[in-house]
Amino acid sequence: EISGTATAYGTSNFTVEVADSAGVPDTDSQALSIIVTPADLSVTTAALADGKVGVAYSETLAATGGATPYSWSISGGSLPAGLSVNASIGEISGTPTAYGTASFTVEAVDSWTPSDSATVALTIVVDPADVTVTTASLPDGMVGIAYSQTLAAAGGIPPYTWSVTAGALPAGLSL
């Protein structure tokens, strides 16, 4: 009886010999092999962190089972604009360029022959960049002369709502 729990995959070649109990034992030997295959491949990453437009993003996918190294790809849907997956290490990285929710399927393929594969559906939510007032200064005005200056902002989700939160505009001007 050969028994136990295999702890590594691969092919093991060995020779067994049998001997009987006769006064002069009779023996025979046989070359044998056992192929231990990897455990089933499974992607263990269940969720990914949210991202933000304009902010570097990096998350590494994980799997168990199968034969390493794994090869990673997007088999359905698409990553957020600006992100890509490194096929050899399973890292999703880059800088998101647009906000929104991206749903996609990640596939891992192991290096065993024949190969095993596993997939998982994932989502990355990319939040807009923080809203920022981009107008740094305003030109001077003059009493009795019409004044008009448009304020500018970036990030967030337009349209914007403007308000004066401290101090006051000069008399006669409004926002």
Side-chain angles (χ1 to χ4, degrees):
E1 176 182 353
I2 296 174
S3 64
T5 302
T7 59
Y9 57 84
T11 302
S12 294
N13 299 305
F14 54 93
T15 301
V16 295
E17 182 178 88
V18 63
D20 69 7
S21 298
V24 176
D26 186 20
T27 63
D28 189 34
S29 62
Q30 177 69 45
L32 298 170
S33 65
I34 297 176
I35 298 172
V36 176
T37 60
D40 288 339
L41 180 61
S42 174
V43 176
T44 57
T45 302
L48 293 169
D50 292 349
K52 185 174 271 197
V53 171
V55 177
Y57 183 91
S58 177
E59 286 282 313
T60 301
L61 302 164
T64 59
T68 58
Y70 307 129
S71 177
W72 297 90
S73 65
I74 304 302
S75 62
S78 61
L79 291 171
L83 299 185
S84 62
V85 63
N86 180 314
S88 61
I89 61 173
E91 178 187 31
I92 296 174
S93 63
T95 302
T97 59
Y99 67 88
T101 300
S103 297
F104 51 92
T105 301
V106 169
E107 180 177 34
V109 178
D110 76 355
S111 55
W112 189 256
T113 301
S115 63
D116 191 9
S117 66
T119 61
V120 65
L122 295 169
T123 299
I124 296 176
V125 175
V126 177
D127 297 323
D130 291 337
V131 68
T132 304
V133 175
T134 57
T135 303
S137 64
L138 294 169
D140 293 341
M142 186 177 287
V143 172
I145 304 294
Y147 185 90
S148 178
Q149 190 66 37
T150 301
L151 301 174
I157 302 174
Y160 304 119
T161 301
W162 294 87
S163 61
V164 175
T165 59
L169 291 172
L173 300 183
S174 63
L175 177 63

